[in-house]
Amino acid sequence: MAQTQTVLAIDVGGTKMLAALVRGTEIVDTLRMPTPGEGDPAQWLAALFGAIASWRGAYGSVGAAVTGIVDNGHWSALNRKTLDIPDAFALTETIERLAGVPVLAANDAHAAAWGEYAFGAGNREDMVFLTISTGIGGGIVLNGRLLGGLAGHFGQSRSAEWPGDTLEDHVSGHWIAGQAAPHQSGATARDVFAAARDGHDWAKRTIETSAGRTALLCRNIQLALDPRRIVIGGSIGLAEGYLAAVERALEPVPSRLRPSLHAAALGENAGVIGIADLAERQQNLRENQR
Ligand code: BMX
């Protein structure tokens, strides 16, 4: 087994970008910055690599976990309200030019699913990962294999309840913040959780509504895939009280149909740890094929 290499892992979400030097499951160094609201992916990536220029030479490959769909190294948005990415952006080619080492790119929730499966709350059993964050992302690991492409993009689900919108438009961080507008202008999702803690009914109702819709999604995932576990992550999914609210909404469900929910053990590091492992596996495969 090749010696554990240091991988540069980046996680580009709708709200923040995280860069980490990862060795196995050890996070050697990290840097966080907001995902710029304007410009294009080339500018966002140049800004991130500029901020970690001092790490050059410390890593042998890059793993990129990104919100949106990644097809053959090209990056596109499924929901431009989560992050406005132009169609088929040349992601791996751009990062290889910036980093000068091989790159593996995958969807952020897929990467986090692998991280939780291999090293976290997934316990290396058939599992589904759900990130409730700026959007709703998901990853599926069945029989030890991470499904790719559109698999797990539960946030894009449609309903006659809101024609033209997606499920995440009525559950996730953007929606929660939007519900605060009549009560607290400019509030973020984090402010809504604080208002709920302070006893404001409008905030508690907002969180209960979001959690109830997440509970319904989990019930449908259970019927579709019957995973041993559903692991919940993301800034909303891991916010204080959210998972408990989802569990409360599931209490009336008969036990055989009720999903087994677990909080993501790796927290916000699930994506970087997962993509680092996937990138290292690909690097080892390349070296063994030489
Ligand atoms: C959206 C979609 C998914 C992503 C999910 C969570 C875009 C840009 N993203 O459903 O690919 O996994 O949001 O994204 O279409 P996050 O930014 O909240 O992590």
Side-chain angles (χ1 to χ4, degrees):
M1 179 70 176
Q3 188 203 354
T4 301
Q5 302 295 318
T6 302
V7 178
L8 167 60
I10 62 174
D11 185 341
V12 180
T15 304
K16 73 168 177 0
M17 301 196 287
L18 171 64
L21 284 178
V22 183
R23 196 174 303 132
T25 57
E26 184 197 352
I27 305 272
V28 178
D29 203 346
T30 57
L31 177 134
R32 281 172 192 75
M33 60 194 289
T35 304
E38 64 293 324
D40 64 29
Q43 292 164 316
W44 309 335
L45 293 167
L48 184 62
F49 275 85
I52 57 173
S54 62
W55 294 1
R56 275 189 83 91
Y59 52 87
S61 62
V62 176
V66 296
T67 184
I69 188 162
V70 180
D71 288 316
N72 303 318
H74 287 77
W75 187 18
S76 306
L78 292 175
N79 185 350
R80 288 180 172 235
K81 286 179 276 186
T82 299
L83 190 60
D84 190 1
I85 307 146
D87 278 347
F89 174 78
L91 181 62
T92 48
E93 182 189 314
T94 302
I95 296 177
E96 273 167 2
R97 206 170 43 247
L98 288 164
V101 294
V103 179
L104 173 74
N107 167 265
D108 58 352
H110 290 184
W114 183 257
E116 287 294 333
Y117 167 79
F119 309 107
N123 200 36
R124 289 181 182 260
E125 295 179 312
D126 284 357
M127 61 158 277
V128 170
F129 174 78
L130 269 187
T131 172
I132 317 294
S133 33
T134 313
I136 297 177
I140 302 165
V141 183
L142 296 179
N143 303 318
R145 199 167 71 83
L146 174 67
L147 305 193
L150 279 176
H153 272 87
F154 304 111
Q156 303 309 306
S157 307
R158 305 285 167 155
S159 162
E161 197 177 346
W162 38 73
D165 278 353
T166 61
L167 175 63
E168 66 186 10
D169 292 334
H170 294 266
V171 172
S172 67
H174 277 162
W175 178 80
I176 290 174
Q179 295 304 297
H183 311 279
Q184 191 179 327
S185 69
T188 63
R190 188 187 299 271
D191 296 328
V192 176
F193 280 89
R197 270 199 306 277
D198 294 345
H200 294 281
D201 284 341
W202 65 268
K204 289 193 277 188
R205 273 197 312 278
T206 297
I207 292 166
E208 294 293 333
T209 301
S210 170
R213 290 170 180 164
T214 296
L216 193 56
L217 169 61
C218 291
R219 291 184 65 177
N220 290 330
I221 288 170
Q222 201 63 38
L223 292 167
L225 298 164
D226 201 14
R228 297 297 299 271
R229 296 168 172 230
I230 298 181
V231 175
I232 306 277
S235 54
I236 302 300
L238 292 172
E240 186 190 341
Y242 192 83
L243 192 51
V246 179
E247 293 280 17
R248 279 196 300 278
L250 290 171
E251 273 165 12
V253 178
S255 60
R256 177 59 187 91
L257 302 177
R258 193 182 316 135
S260 171
L261 304 188
H262 299 260
L266 304 176
E268 72 164 4
N269 292 330
V272 289
I273 289 175
I275 197 68
D277 186 61
L278 291 167
E280 186 173 8
R281 286 166 181 265
Q282 173 168 273
Q283 186 72 344
N284 292 340
L285 205 59
R286 275 200 200 102
E287 283 161 9
N288 295 340
Q289 286 168 346
R290 278 196 191 128

